[in-house]
Amino acid sequence: MERTTGTRRKLNWLLTAAAILFAALLVVLCLLLRPKTGAPDRFVIHFADGETLEIPAWETKTIVIRDGRIVDSATGEGDENVIRIENGRAWMEQANCPHHECMRQGALTAETVRSRPLGTWIVCAPHKVYIEFAGGGQ
Ligand SMILES: [Zn+2]
């Protein structure tokens, strides 16, 4: 009887140890399989009304925004911004805001976000149009 209890206790201990090991292994596996954090991978356009539009960084696209909404082509009327996305770069190609500050802010790329004064953002304050380089674990 004593011996049986001892064996059972040992078995319980072994099972517990195995369960703990298995859990630890799972945690390690999850950490290993976690997607690697890297460069930003998408551009997010923020509109004046708080709406956003996400575009994968590898797409090639010209986006024309007039008075807070996307339109087919630029006419120079209203509050207009033309955003260009190409080969992982995004920049304000055209804007009829007073000082064209947004156009002067250069291109957002995986390299320039480290050194630009505005980091991952291009800001057109007068038109409340913002481009954000997002993703990469940020
Ligand atoms: Zn602007």
Side-chain angles (χ1 to χ4, degrees):
M1 192 62 191
E2 275 298 309
R3 196 173 156 73
T4 316
T5 314
T7 309
R8 183 159 292 168
R9 199 168 286 159
K10 195 175 262 179
L11 190 69
N12 275 342
W13 186 87
L14 268 175
L15 279 175
T16 309
I20 291 171
L21 258 175
F22 185 70
L25 196 71
L26 268 183
V27 169
V28 169
L29 262 179
C30 285
L31 285 175
L32 284 177
L33 294 177
R34 194 177 48 171
K36 288 199 170 62
T37 56
D41 57 7
R42 63 186 183 275
F43 295 107
V44 183
I45 298 170
H46 297 255
F47 297 89
D49 61 2
E51 289 289 312
T52 58
L53 172 70
E54 286 198 13
I55 299 152
W58 57 86
E59 281 192 11
T60 297
K61 226 169 200 168
T62 301
I63 297 143
V64 183
I65 299 166
R66 187 181 312 126
D67 296 327
R69 51 187 81 219
I70 293 177
V71 293
D72 290 334
S73 57
T75 61
E77 293 157 18
D79 286 352
E80 206 170 72
N81 293 76
V82 180
I83 297 167
R84 179 69 180 168
I85 291 172
E86 196 181 311
N87 294 330
R89 302 160 63 86
W91 65 94
M92 196 69 77
E93 193 160 79
Q94 244 183 76
N96 59 1
C97 53
H99 302 290
H100 307 290
E101 275 304 323
C102 49
M103 293 169 67
R104 287 181 230 262
Q105 288 166 25
L108 281 176
T109 74
E111 290 76 39
T112 59
V113 291
R114 296 169 207 282
S115 54
R116 302 173 75 252
L118 290 172
T120 54
W121 293 84
I122 288 176
V123 175
C124 182
H127 293 176
K128 296 191 175 69
V129 172
Y130 314 99
I131 313 168
E132 180 191 11
F133 205 0
Q138 291 178 16

